[in-house]
Amino acid sequence: MATIEQLAIFQITIPLIVAPLVFLLKNGNRAWFLTLVTSVAMMWVASQLLVHVLSVGEFVTQIGGWAAPWGIEYRVDTVNAFVLLIVSGMSSIVLMFARQSVNQEIESNKRSLFYTSWLLCLTGLLGVTITGDAFNVFVFLEISSLSSYVLIAMGRDRRALTSSFQYLVMGTIGATFILIGIGFLFIVTGTLNMADISERLSDTSQTRTVRTAFAFIIVGIGLKLAMFPLHLWLPNAYAYAPSVASAFLAATATKVALYMLLRFIYTVFGFEFSFDLPLSETLVILSSAAILVGSVVAIFQDNLKRLLAYSSVAQIGYMLLGVSLATQAGLSAALLHVFNHAVIKGGLFLVLGCFVFRFGTASLKLLSGKGTQMPWTFAAFIAGGLSLIGVPLTTGFVSKWQLVTAALDIGWWPVALVVLAGSILAIVYVWRAVEVLYFRPVSDDSQIVKEAPLELLLPTWLLIGANIYFGINTELSIGVADVAAHWLMTGTR
Amino acid sequence: MDILSHYNYWVAIFLMMTGFYVVIASGNLVKKLIGLNVFQASVFILYISAGVVDKGVPPILKEGASILYSNPLPHVLILTAIVVGVGTTALGLALAIRIKEAYGSVEEDDIHAQEED
């Protein structure tokens, strides 16, 4: 039986080793199966890690037995074990959906390459989350980014290529900014280990170099996170990527970026240093703008995938709003929304995957009146949409409730108004989609389709069902988010 | 002279701004990638500069009592970053080729004009 420290290393090594094997398989279905098995195994490992840190406490794995700060260490605590589970779990569920969707959307000779990129992306995302070394973060970030550019570029529409290129340019600038920031930290402290940096920074933190490092890192992560107004790459990337890639990236990539932001703000720079700077004011303005602008723009989208992508920009705003409150309750709300939004958006993008599977399009104009032909898929869309709005008994409601309570606790009532306005705008864009899909006359009668196959419906409803389950039974999600937030604020359990 | 003694940092800043400007201002996708490369190269210089120790020698182990070495760690880090940069450039160029096949152009204006239709 492997020890828990060894399990932590498996999170990275196994997907990294399996990725080239998947490429060698050539056959799309076999490649899919191996990828799915690997991803589910990683989910199991992540759940073991989470159970361990919740019951025993955080632990450190030194790679190759090299002691930190010389060697690289993986540091697992409640926060990143939680994110690891979200990432590997979402990857597994979306992969269950992937086989038929990929078989339809991607040419047969490219399928094993698609799954190879998927695993590399998973490796990168898990690596960013688990590592305790600042430079290692950059390396894993680039692994995940490069492979996600490939995933996006595999979309059928030729615009997938241009949006992937745009993402590549903006993503590389973001990653290079992070690299500059880490460089400044290294210049000041002479170390790259996060825990070590934070220890040494406490003496020297009030220098211009450290503030510059902070600014570069925040802006760099902001680009990766699609923090308003650095979100320009996101709508196109999500809209033209293959359906499953949109679902995977929407549910995981931005969440990992948010985790990175929290890790740098709280663990590396420290709460006092970070919030002495005007971080709170900046974040509250940008995130409020993200919520309002993202939601308004979403109303005017014809392509449903673009609509959800703009709604993602707004939802990232909610997470950052929680962070900007600079209280433990706010942080807990942000972490909770990381999980809830992964479930909501993953589910909704899978619904669109079902529509695309049958109709070959996600354009509202072409789908007009056709919701009735796929009742189960359409019902899933409505359930997911209600959660996006934040109707009680859904996860969206729980997130917003926690966020508003946290804001009112410190008397920030305008924030509550912004959340409310965001929800009203969400009603508008969700209702508009429902109205067109259900009530409008069918644009052409020629195309009569069947309900999506069970293989697609099951994972979709698994996520939509999770939406409702975690909207009613919040013990698990809020419980873990609270413990994680407490850990970030105080460094103790 | 303080400014001249830090000339390496000035070079880094100059390259950084040049690269950044090319990425933003140029409409040609390949030129954008070149700008991105210049931008990244400036960061490499920044790191290497940070590793220099006054009167230090290149960090190659020699017999002898007390030799002052430059810090080799930034060199190793930048080797990794260079590899990442090569990967990014390769992928970017591959995408540019595919875009050229799909749109018949690598000029942003032409591509936008075609997407409008």
Side-chain angles (χ1 to χ4, degrees), chain A residues 72-294:
Chain A
I72 289 170
E73 62 177 18
Y74 289 172
R75 201 171 261 272
V76 183
D77 54 34
T78 325
V79 191
N80 57 7
F82 182 51
V83 178
L84 287 173
L85 187 60
I86 295 175
V87 171
S88 53
M90 291 306 300
S91 159
S92 307
I93 295 174
V94 176
L95 273 170
M96 285 190 228
F97 181 100
R99 191 182 68 92
Q100 293 211 7
S101 179
V102 166
N103 282 354
Q104 195 196 43
E105 288 184 34
I106 294 172
E107 295 158 43
S108 63
N109 58 348
K110 288 185 185 155
R111 283 174 207 156
S112 59
L113 277 170
F114 180 84
Y115 293 117
T116 308
S117 313
W118 186 296
L119 277 180
L120 287 175
C121 190
L122 182 65
T123 312
L125 293 172
L126 294 175
V128 170
T129 315
I130 205 170
T131 189
D133 183 277
F135 195 80
N136 216 220
V137 166
F138 165 75
V139 175
F140 278 123
L141 181 72
E142 281 300 69
I143 293 178
S144 71
S145 305
L146 285 170
S147 40
S148 57
Y149 309 145
V150 176
L151 289 178
I152 291 165
M154 288 209 188
R156 273 186 299 188
D157 196 307
R158 65 177 178 175
R159 277 171 290 187
L161 297 170
T162 45
S163 41
S164 170
F165 190 89
Q166 192 191 15
Y167 184 20
L168 180 136
V169 170
M170 294 189 77
T172 306
I173 291 173
T176 310
F177 268 39
I178 295 172
L179 187 63
I180 297 171
I182 293 171
F184 281 135
L185 283 180
F186 174 71
I187 291 170
V188 175
T189 62
T191 178
L192 290 166
N193 181 289
M194 287 183 182
D196 209 25
I197 292 178
S198 113
E199 212 165 278
R200 296 190 191 190
L201 271 186
S202 50
D203 315 326
T204 53
S205 62
Q206 291 307 327
T207 60
R208 195 185 292 163
T209 319
V210 181
R211 290 199 200 106
T212 315
F214 184 74
F216 269 114
I217 289 177
I218 298 294
V219 174
I221 297 177
L223 265 162
K224 283 283 165 193
L225 179 62
M227 171 162 58
F228 184 87
L230 305 170
H231 66 279
L232 294 172
W233 57 269
L234 184 138
N236 280 339
Y238 285 8
Y240 301 118
S243 308
V244 282
S246 310
F248 177 47
L249 294 176
T252 58
T254 45
K255 313 294 170 288
V256 169
L258 189 91
Y259 161 79
M260 228 169 29
L261 184 76
L262 296 178
R263 184 54 85 195
F264 273 101
I265 290 180
Y266 285 93
T267 307
V268 177
F269 288 99
F271 175 79
E272 281 170 22
F273 171 82
S274 307
F275 286 97
D276 263 357
L277 296 170
L279 179 68
S280 198
E281 292 84 342
T282 317
L283 283 184
V284 81
I285 292 170
L286 292 182
S287 53
S288 304
I291 293 172
L292 300 176
V293 176

Side-chain angles (χ1 to χ4, degrees), chain A residues 135 158-159 162 172 179 183, chain B residues 40 47 77 84 88 102 114-115:
Chain A
F135 195 80
R158 65 177 178 175
R159 277 171 290 187
T162 45
T172 306
L179 187 63
Chain B
Q40 287 179 316
Y47 266 73
L77 299 180
V84 170
T88 312
Q114 290 187 43
E115 280 181 357

